[in-house]
Amino acid sequence: MSVETAVAEVVTLASELIAIDTTNTGDPAAPGTERAAAEYVAAKLSEVGYEPVYVESGAPGRGNVIARLPGADPARGALLIHGHLDVVPADPAEWSVHPFSGEVRDGYVWGRGAVDMKDMVAMTLAVARSFKRDGVVPPRDLIFAFLADEEAGGFYGARWLVDNRPELFEGATEAISEVGGFSVTLADDVRAYLVETAEKGVMWLRLTARGTAGHGSMLHEDNAVAKLAAAITRLEQHRFPLVLTDPVRELLTGVAEVTGVPFDPDDPEAAVARLGNLSRMIGATLRDTANVTMFEAGYKANVVPSVARATVDGRMLPGREKEFEAELAEILGPEIIREWDSLPPVRTTFDGALVEAMATAVTAEDPGARLLPYMLSAGTDAKSFQRLGVRHFGFSPLKLPPDLDFTALFHGVDERVPVEALEFGTRVLDRFLRAC
């Protein structure tokens, strides 16, 4: 047995996981969808000798699976490798293939979750199975966690487990998971692999404006819809202050060294603009953002309603939580009622033995590549695990074609992952976990 066993089955695992519809609508009253995928993972682990723990977290169907592989040095902190099983909704009418087909075509595995994040779940599962079959003893304990509800904040997944079953992660000091370790071609086949060392905080706002109801044909000076629309327009037009954080500075400095194009710290937006498709995500880490995602008001064409509601997806940089909240209050004004759920930012430094092990594993498969840190504009289950004191990195290794707009695939139509990238990532993950 060898890593090639894991490589040989990773595409099948990814395809079969995608074919299990684990859509998470974000509605807490909706039935859980993760159980079937969690049972699939548990069966694959049990098949090779693990004794996985299956936990339904707070609501029926919200399945989670945790398994531990003992390492050579129990005194060392354990490494947590976690991935989520749920996915965002997908409309089949918009797709070239059915989003829950898991079809393998044209060198890609297609379907919702292909990059977010059943690719990493499949790679993790393939390597975990290979290690158990081959009797591999890693340097430290490895904790494999396959989780529910990440797409809605982890309240029925990682967050619930941290609050209610922290013993499952006993001894964990470091973790790896999604949205990092993917390649970006910067110049003439020179690739950088971006490792997530920070992520913005989340504030999901529910905004309410109240006014006086009445007939739509009359004059109205207290229109709830107009009030909320005006506040939302002010928010849309507002630019939060530019803040150059350490991970963004390190990324742009590293890109400049690789490409030979100087980076001016006084004009980071110019450097970000040169990143092509990646600029959408990296540009969002230069400042706080607040985007309106839902608006609800009214029930008949000739009735002015008394209530209007909107939802805003707010993301704030590390250290900007209080300033962000105060700025929102000033922009929206006192007439707009604000309620929210929030998740904190995450950040660590780009150094240490684990980072060195990542670099060694990547460059063994892609000589000449360079690892660079970056900040994720979105969020992951790291927000929950940091409450246990776990240091987190986004490291789901993928070697990508230079012309693939990878960031557009997250929550996008025709989400897909290259077969060769899955096989590459499995080899890198195998090397990394043998040396971590």
Side-chain angles (χ1 to χ4, degrees):
M1 296 287 185
S2 68
V3 66
E4 294 309 317
T5 308
V7 171
E9 71 174 6
V10 68
V11 171
T12 298
L13 292 172
S15 176
E16 291 178 352
L17 281 161
I18 290 167
I20 303 172
D21 185 347
T22 52
T23 297
N24 186 349
T25 64
D27 179 358
T33 61
E34 295 94 345
R35 176 186 293 167
E39 289 175 342
Y40 171 92
V41 168
K44 290 294 184 182
L45 292 171
S46 297
E47 185 178 84
V48 294
Y50 286 96
E51 297 181 359
V53 177
Y54 176 88
V55 182
E56 287 201 357
S57 50
R62 313 312 295 262
N64 301 268
V65 175
I66 297 90
R68 185 183 290 254
L69 183 63
D73 185 357
R76 283 190 62 193
L79 177 68
L80 171 63
I81 305 97
H82 62 93
H84 63 86
L85 299 169
D86 61 322
V87 299
V88 296
D91 181 357
E94 298 179 329
W95 286 58
S96 300
V97 303
H98 194 284
F100 298 105
S101 66
E103 182 174 342
V104 181
R105 190 182 77 185
D106 300 330
Y108 286 82
V109 183
W110 298 67
R112 178 58 86 217
V115 300
D116 188 13
M117 64 170 297
K118 290 180 177 178
D119 57 341
M120 180 58 172
V121 170
M123 291 190 294
T124 301
L125 187 55
V127 172
R129 282 165 54 85
S130 174
F131 276 18
K132 195 69 171 178
R133 281 189 300 244
D134 293 354
V136 172
V137 179
R140 61 202 291 195
D141 282 11
L142 303 179
I143 304 171
F144 302 105
F146 306 88
L147 307 166
D149 198 38
E150 188 274 346
E151 294 292 359
F155 294 97
Y156 293 108
R159 190 179 182 91
W160 189 93
L161 291 167
V162 166
D163 288 339
N164 294 277
R165 298 294 304 272
E167 76 280 2
L168 294 172
F169 311 103
E170 182 179 356
T173 56
E174 295 172 303
I176 63 167
S177 190
E178 61 179 327
V179 205
F182 58 91
S183 71
V184 178
T185 302
L186 297 175
D188 296 331
D189 206 34
V190 176
R191 280 172 294 279
Y193 288 78
L194 305 191
V195 176
E196 185 223 298
T197 59
E199 58 188 52
K200 296 172 81 174
V202 179
M203 181 182 285
W204 286 313
L205 288 135
R206 298 176 296 279
L207 306 181
T208 304
R210 299 191 180 277
T212 303
H215 200 289
S217 67
M218 299 182 185
L219 298 176
H220 287 272
E221 296 181 355
D222 188 32
N223 188 316
V225 179
K227 288 180 189 177
L228 187 56
I232 291 298
T233 299
R234 292 194 299 271
L235 184 60
E236 178 69 20
Q237 294 173 343
H238 179 74
R239 294 272 286 178
F240 291 90
L242 189 150
V243 180
L244 186 58
T245 57
D246 288 341
V248 177
R249 183 189 300 273
E250 290 178 61
L251 169 64
L252 297 178
T253 299
V255 170
E257 292 171 356
V258 171
T259 62
V261 179
F263 160 54
D264 180 359
D266 294 326
D267 189 12
E269 289 178 302
V272 169
R274 293 193 292 268
L275 296 176
N277 294 329
L278 194 63
S279 63
R280 292 193 302 271
M281 181 169 67
I282 303 302
T285 62
L286 291 176
R287 49 173 46 88
D288 302 334
T289 59
N291 289 307
V292 184
T293 55
M294 292 188 283
F295 199 105
E296 178 187 6
Y299 49 88
K300 198 170 186 296
N302 63 351
V303 178
V304 174
S306 61
V307 179
R309 295 183 175 88
T311 301
V312 170
D313 186 344
R315 309 282 171 148
M316 79 290 289
L317 295 169
R320 280 271 307 168
E321 295 94 321
K322 290 183 179 179
E323 291 84 353
F324 182 65
E325 186 179 335
E327 215 163 326
L328 283 173
E330 183 178 353
I331 296 162
L332 295 170
E335 287 192 295
I336 305 302
I337 300 166
R338 292 172 293 113
E339 301 172 287
W340 62 84
D341 296 313
S342 61
L343 297 167
V346 175
R347 59 178 162 184
T348 188
T349 52
F350 190 58
D351 55 19
L354 200 68
V355 171
E356 293 174 6
M358 291 177 196
T360 299
V362 169
T363 55
E365 297 292 334
D366 189 2
R370 177 169 175 178
L371 270 63
L372 296 175
Y374 89 104
M375 181 188 296
L376 178 64
S377 60
T380 73
D381 280 330
K383 296 182 183 305
S384 294
F385 289 119
Q386 74 172 350
R387 296 165 59 211
L388 296 177
V390 176
R391 185 186 186 204
H392 180 270
F393 297 91
F395 185 66
S396 301
L398 296 171
K399 182 181 178 183
L400 300 170
D403 58 347
L404 181 66
D405 188 354
F406 183 62
T407 59
L409 297 176
F410 285 82
H411 298 190
V413 173
D414 284 344
E415 184 179 349
R416 60 199 183 278
V417 63
V419 167
E420 290 184 357
L422 278 174
E423 294 171 346
F424 170 88
T426 302
R427 290 192 295 270
V428 170
L429 194 62
D430 178 275
R431 286 181 182 275
F432 170 68
L433 294 180
R434 289 175 186 266
C436 65

